[in-house]
Amino acid sequence: NAGVMQNPRHLVRRRGQEARLRCSPVKGHSHVYWYRQLPEEGLKFMVYLQKENIIDESGMPKERFSAEFPKEGPSILRIQQVVRGDSAAYFCASSSTGGETQYFGPGTRLLVL
Amino acid sequence: DQQVKQNSPSLSVQEGRISILNCDYTNSMFDYFLWYKKYPAEGPTFLISISSIKDKNEDGRFTVFLNKSAKHLSLHIVPSQPGDSAVYFCAASAYNNDMRFGAGTRLTVKP
């Protein structure tokens, strides 16, 4: 009866490298959401996905960030050419249907050196 | 655009007393509201929710009140316990399922 799983829990990258964050939703959940929490700030919505579809990416930076939720496998948040300002905690949440309560994973803490 | 606001960054209460955390929103399309609790280095944990068709929802020591006309909701914790010390996030979603969070209120319950 696993909840939302995220890996890695901690990720260190140098400027210019790529970061790939994975999220496995609660079994049976087909809706995935990504949020970012910058130091001393609240959670900011980034993107909402259903299987193989991006429903809303209004919170995603226009460049370097992308997300997918394939038919099989986890959802991936990908950050290309990371910069120091990308250092944050990235949380994934899932729900069984849209509009339902979202359940959060433990987060991935990204540190860009 | 800050659609969900928690204007108090911190709150300190004595053990056994009531904690009241407040939240305001601006988007009248929001129809589902939630409170999450977050400990350091952990993901947010769902606490309680309320639909816009209700004005109160109670679960044990936690009660959420919704005032749609004022676009305001609050979370009451009574009696407060030291283990309640955490950051509390208010969240709201609209029919299109996106959820927006407030900046959080850090609650400290003193023994």
Side-chain angles (χ1 to χ4, degrees):
Chain A
N1 189 22
V4 177
M5 299 176 69
Q6 290 185 249
N7 68 81
R9 292 292 307 276
H10 299 274
L11 183 61
V12 179
R13 286 287 178 268
R14 295 192 181 279
R15 281 179 295 171
Q17 292 184 319
E18 178 180 287
R20 291 171 70 89
L21 289 64
R22 294 175 201 79
C23 169
S24 296
V26 172
K27 188 176 180 181
H29 285 191
S30 59
H31 299 248
V32 165
Y33 312 80
W34 285 93
Y35 296 86
R36 176 165 64 173
Q37 184 179 26
L38 294 167
E40 305 303 320
E41 293 189 18
L43 292 159
K44 303 289 187 186
F45 167 78
M46 298 182 74
V47 63
Y48 163 37
L49 311 104
Q50 291 182 34
K51 283 286 187 181
E52 300 184 276
N53 290 308
I54 295 175
I55 306 303
D56 181 355
E57 55 182 349
S58 59
M60 287 277 271
K62 297 289 183 241
E63 297 176 348
R64 302 187 297 108
F65 285 71
S66 62
E68 62 177 11
F69 188 20
K71 187 176 181 180
E72 301 291 337
S75 175
I76 305 288
L77 178 67
R78 183 181 177 206
I79 311 172
Q80 295 178 289
Q81 300 175 331
V82 295
V83 301
R84 287 209 175 121
D86 297 332
S87 295
Y90 292 82
F91 292 96
C92 165
S94 74
S95 66
S96 58
T97 61
E100 293 288 325
T101 301
Q102 297 176 22
Y103 294 91
F104 281 80
T108 294
R109 277 142 191 87
L110 172 65
L111 175 63
V112 180
L113 301 177
Chain B
D1 62 339
Q2 195 72 8
Q3 297 185 51
V4 179
K5 297 180 183 179
Q6 292 176 257
N7 292 320
S8 298
S10 63
L11 174 67
S12 180
V13 300
Q14 206 66 35
E15 180 180 6
R17 306 295 290 269
I18 185 171
S19 295
I20 300 177
L21 296 96
N22 293 303
C23 177
D24 298 292
Y25 61 95
T26 57
N27 188 342
S28 58
M29 300 302 292
F30 287 144
D31 59 2
Y32 189 57
F33 305 89
L34 310 92
W35 284 94
Y36 283 85
K37 176 180 177 180
K38 186 180 181 304
Y39 293 114
E42 294 184 12
T45 303
F46 169 72
L47 199 55
I48 193 169
S49 64
I50 187 167
S51 157
S52 61
I53 62 173
K54 294 185 175 182
D55 54 19
K56 177 183 174 181
N57 188 26
E58 191 173 352
D59 183 3
R61 297 185 297 112
F62 303 91
T63 303
V64 55
F65 295 92
L66 175 62
N67 182 335
K68 288 193 294 293
S69 60
K71 294 192 177 69
H72 177 84
L73 66 155
S74 61
L75 174 68
H76 292 210
I77 307 173
V78 56
S80 301
Q81 300 173 354
D84 296 329
S85 297
V87 177
Y88 289 78
F89 290 99
C90 166
S93 67
Y95 66 93
N96 63 352
N97 311 321
D98 293 350
M99 193 154 67
R100 296 291 183 266
F101 281 83
T105 297
R106 182 178 301 278
L107 173 66
T108 302
V109 180
K110 298 180 179 179

